[in-house]
Amino acid sequence: WEQQVDNGDIPPTAAQSDPVLPTQLIEAAANLLLFLLLYRLYRRHQERHGLVTGTYLMAYAVIRFLVEPLRGDARLQVAGVWSIGQFISILLFVAGASILLWRRRAAPAKASSESKTPAQ
């Protein structure tokens, strides 16, 4: 409401604001779906440490990056194009991808070192 008054979209005496998208509900629904996906992923791949964490970081980053422009409030821009939330989402995505790549490379090395130990 305050931003719409400041922008001159509605008068200060307006009883209500202009309609806006319920971005909090959109994000909550997307996060519920993400939880269900991660729960299923965890149940199937409990032995793959880092998989759920990396997947969460990457998926949440995509959700946040896509929902952020739908918000109606003004935020500081980074590089003139993205909001701070979108920039942080990019960093989270890179962190999640790094975890998945690191774990993928660590898994074969661990398996090969275990196969070299003599059986007793």
Side-chain angles (χ1 to χ4, degrees), residues 5 26 37 48 61 64 80 94 100 108 116-117:
V5 171
I26 294 169
L37 168 82
R48 294 187 59 194
R64 186 61 189 240
V94 169
L100 292 180
K116 290 180 182 178
T117 57

Side-chain angles (χ1 to χ4, degrees), residues 107-119:
K110 183 178 178 184
S112 66
S113 67
E114 288 176 359
S115 65
K116 290 180 182 178
T117 57

Side-chain angles (χ1 to χ4, degrees), residues 29-87:
N31 280 314
L32 177 61
L33 292 174
L34 177 57
F35 166 75
L36 295 173
L37 168 82
L38 293 173
Y39 181 74
R40 186 172 181 177
L41 190 65
Y42 174 75
R43 300 285 291 166
R44 288 186 176 192
H45 302 284
Q46 290 181 13
E47 71 285 350
R48 294 187 59 194
H49 301 292
L51 177 65
V52 173
T53 302
T55 303
Y56 168 74
L57 289 173
M58 291 177 68
Y60 178 75
V62 169
I63 292 168
R64 186 61 189 240
F65 190 89
L66 295 175
V67 170
E68 194 72 18
L70 301 176
R71 297 172 52 113
D73 56 346
R75 290 170 304 285
L76 295 174
Q77 300 294 312
V78 176
V81 179
W82 296 317
S83 69
I84 292 175
Q86 287 176 306
F87 183 72

